[in-house]
Amino acid sequence: MNILYIMFDQLRFDYLSCAGHPHLHTSHIDALADKGVRFTRAYVQSPTCGSSRMSSYTGRYPSSHGVQFNSYPLRVGEWTMGDHLRKAGMSCHLIGKTHMVADAEGMERLGLAPDSVIGVRQSECGFDPWVRDDGLWAEGPDGFYDAKRSPYNEYLKSKGYPGDNPWNDFANAGVEGEDIASGWFMANADKPANIAEEDSETPWLTTKAIEFIEQATGPWCAHLSYIKPHWPYIVPAPYHDMYGPEHVLPVVRSDAEREDAHPVFDGMMNNQIGKAFSRDEVRKKVIPAYMGLIKQADDQMGRLFAYLEQSGQMQDTMIVVTSDHGDYLGDHWLGEKNLFHEPSIKVPLIIYDPRKQADVSRGTTCDALVEAIDLAPTFLEVAGGAPVPHILEGRSLQPWLHGENPEWRDYAVAEFDYSTMPLSAKLGLAPKDARLFMVTDHRWKLMHAEGGLRPMLFDLETDPNELVDLGTSAEHADVLEMMYNRLHQWSLRMSQRITLSDEQIISGRGKSGRKGILLGVYEPDEIDAGLTVKYLGPVPQNTADQ
């Protein structure tokens, strides 16, 4: 069986019609959910792109793999999904975005050539890249945001779009008179992108995925990682005006959230992004464009799924649809992500398993506390590989897909390191203290902040919109203690001993008692005679002088 691992960037869990959105009809993703399982409590391990993705690709928490924020290199030698799957006999490929930064210094130290097979895999999260494009080609004082060549830009040039950076000038810009209406300015979000729809990023990447599948020989895993609906929030016609201000859902926020707010929350509400998305005119411009980007993505899913059906590959391809994090879109006076409210940290997760064992679960939902790190062990089990729990910190989701009710985790955990953000300096925090942790169960959510800052606590049962912070409530001291005990339990996990499995350790117990290695022995009869035969036998003769 093959695996098609589809990830959208910045897709909220509730912006699908199968998840209850009243205006955004995602019929093709809904149809996949009807054939699979939709997980309703799926959490990523960090609310920022690079860190979240590295957790998904390694099956490990950020504090285990070390990528705590964007632009942090993934250290050389870290096991990835591709490493595990290739060991199990399944190839692993990349089509699109990873937000991966290579550990160039580590590769140089070990003498790994960047253009060698292993060098490329170390630079691409363990994937064999079919096409890599992170979709951030803004021009700055030193050139492109990303120094590598953009395959998408080269495609646009081949189609006749002029200039050095048609990504910026056409795919992510509209037109105002004779001037470019840049997608970086959210006031332009309601304009159609200045590009033919079939040439825009999402259809282009879908085409690349189909080209890969056409030539692939299995078993394979393909990570199809879309750039949208991530900003810039601008989409080509006809999607640019499919939705309007009347389709924008009421904002989820309260004036009380601003009163005596947690210092980190307060800082994020009052940064440039938070202030912008707190304005109603911004939401009315951005959210319809965001919805248009999602509708375009769903239509491309229809195109992709139709190809799989027509080529006869739907019945032997597991399909996963998920996201790396969500988008506040003005909820809680915030934009973007970077905190732990549900719109940011919870993501859509739909898994279609074509095997007969999954017939019992088709069209169902599962509210188990699932983490993004569960995908790597799931894929490894599908590939027939032996489990490696001393490396992979997630758990296989296959039992849920096959209608079983496995023993499962009681809480989910996420982390966020904001030490590189201006907010940490404003709060006077050293880098080691600019860290946040989330622990959530089926009712409670704790947000812990290092640096001597107070916690935040939400009751998801009575306050599902997370508007009332109970972090300083004396009446909830017992809940805080329970959640902190869980955080303590999680922090004591064995996360760095990855070169020896438990089985290897257990099988090696007592092997220090070998012939000639007799520690703590006083008399020969205290141990197995076989270990002392050399010393109780005849005295060896030195014949050199005879």
Side-chain angles (χ1 to χ4, degrees), residues 253-381:
R253 66 189 183 205
S254 72
D255 291 334
E257 289 182 291
R258 290 190 173 277
E259 299 173 7
D260 192 29
H262 187 283
V264 176
F265 185 23
D266 182 74
M268 292 185 179
M269 286 190 287
N270 288 289
N271 67 16
Q272 177 70 39
I273 298 170
K275 288 179 178 179
F277 276 91
S278 295
R279 296 162 54 186
D280 289 339
E281 67 267 29
V282 172
R283 297 186 71 250
K284 290 177 180 179
K285 285 270 191 174
V286 166
I287 293 178
Y290 180 77
M291 294 170 66
L293 287 165
I294 295 170
K295 184 64 175 176
Q296 183 190 35
D298 183 67
D299 284 348
Q300 290 301 310
M301 291 298 94
R303 177 186 167 207
L304 179 61
F305 298 159
Y307 164 75
L308 290 173
E309 290 281 9
Q310 293 161 8
S311 64
Q313 299 189 69
M314 198 74 172
Q315 66 265 26
D316 60 6
T317 302
M318 171 178 278
I319 302 175
V320 176
V321 171
T322 190
S323 179
D324 59 347
H325 52 73
D327 193 324
Y328 275 104
L329 296 174
D331 288 348
H332 305 286
W333 309 95
L334 297 174
E336 277 278 276
K337 50 268 187 184
N338 294 346
L339 210 54
F340 297 127
H341 298 89
E342 299 284 271
S344 172
I345 200 70
K346 193 165 82 169
V347 295
L349 177 60
I350 297 168
I351 302 180
Y352 158 69
D353 184 342
R355 294 172 293 183
K356 289 184 178 180
Q357 298 95 313
D359 288 349
V360 66
S361 67
R362 302 203 188 283
T364 65
T365 59
C366 176
D367 65 354
L369 294 166
V370 168
E371 297 182 333
I373 57 174
D374 295 333
L375 291 175
T378 303
F379 297 167
L380 181 59
E381 184 169 15

Side-chain angles (χ1 to χ4, degrees), residues 73 145 150 189 198 224 288 297 332 370-371 407 413 445 451 529:
Y145 175 96
S150 164
E198 63 270 19
L224 174 54
H332 305 286
V370 168
E371 297 182 333
E407 183 178 347
V413 177
K445 181 185 287 184

